[in-house]
Amino acid sequence: MSDILIKALNPSPEICAMLGDLLIETVANGGSVSFMHPLSQKAAEAFWSNSLSAAGRGEGIILGAFDGDRLIGTVTLLLDLPPNQPHRAEIAKMMTRVSHRHRGVATALLREAERLAIARGRWLLVLDTAEDEGAAGLYERMGFKLTGVIPDYAFKPHGGLTGTLIYWKRLQEGVPPETFE
């Protein structure tokens, strides 16, 4: 998709409402992103309000993909990790609207998250995705390596357990010397 715009999101009622709608749609369609169906707008917006506040404190970056004025996807780059892990970040809450799936939105979001990770000195990324109906294919196409599977990790939004797949990706070779100074 050449028309999509990807940008870091700032807290506002409008952004929280758009993110809330996307989260509700994702959960309703079986997306395993930590929530159960049905998910209320209030709960969804509270989650995003807290997440955007954390991003405002530098604990992460929430990216949004827009098709015109419509939010069509998001991914979070988590940066607030323990002091012995200044070189790594986590990918979380990757979501794309059903209407825009398989059109390059998630790939564009991940590429931007990787660029921002490197710009912040984070050269190792980790993530997890549901074993059932997760985004394993996307992550593997993007160069992430499967570490393993944890069975029965979480409940799916409509019930029943699913395992989680743990992935990692080194964005740069070697350890920058300044990491340990």
Side-chain angles (χ1 to χ4, degrees):
M1 285 188 71
S2 59
D3 296 357
I4 78 164
L5 169 69
I6 298 192
K7 62 182 179 180
L9 301 178
N10 295 311
S12 74
E14 180 183 38
I15 291 294
C16 278
M18 286 192 285
L19 285 166
D21 290 343
L22 178 58
L23 181 57
I24 290 167
E25 177 184 305
T26 300
V27 171
N29 284 283
S32 185
V33 288
S34 305
F35 294 91
M36 299 299 291
H37 179 74
L39 177 62
S40 73
Q41 188 74 32
K42 182 178 179 182
E45 288 184 29
F47 168 79
W48 285 114
S49 179
N50 290 336
S51 297
L52 288 163
S53 292
R57 294 187 301 270
E59 298 171 12
I61 301 167
I62 300 171
L63 296 173
F66 290 85
D67 183 0
D69 291 337
R70 185 170 187 223
L71 180 71
I72 58 170
T74 188
V75 69
T76 299
L77 181 67
L78 299 171
L79 302 168
D80 187 29
L81 300 174
N84 69 340
Q85 300 167 38
H87 60 289
R88 106 177 158 79
E90 293 185 25
I91 298 290
K93 299 297 182 275
M94 168 65 77
M95 293 178 262
T96 303
R97 286 208 177 273
V98 173
S99 62
H100 285 74
R101 290 185 183 164
H102 307 292
R103 294 170 60 184
V105 175
T107 299
L109 283 163
L110 274 176
R111 283 191 179 129
E112 181 63 6
E114 289 178 0
R115 187 190 71 75
L116 292 170
I118 290 170
R120 284 159 180 76
R122 310 304 174 99
W123 49 269
L124 180 66
L125 293 180
V126 297
L127 62 84
D128 71 278
T129 190
E131 187 175 25
D132 301 333
E133 302 178 30
L138 165 70
Y139 297 127
E140 290 174 11
R141 283 190 303 278
M142 294 289 296
F144 283 83
K145 308 291 185 214
L146 178 65
T147 295
V149 180
I150 302 173
D152 300 334
Y153 188 77
F155 283 100
K156 297 185 275 188
H158 296 278
L161 287 168
T162 185
T164 193
L165 306 169
I166 308 295
Y167 284 91
W168 63 274
K169 182 177 182 179
R170 184 175 286 132
L171 300 176
Q172 298 174 335
E173 287 302 318
V175 178
E178 65 276 5
T179 301
F180 298 107
E181 292 178 359

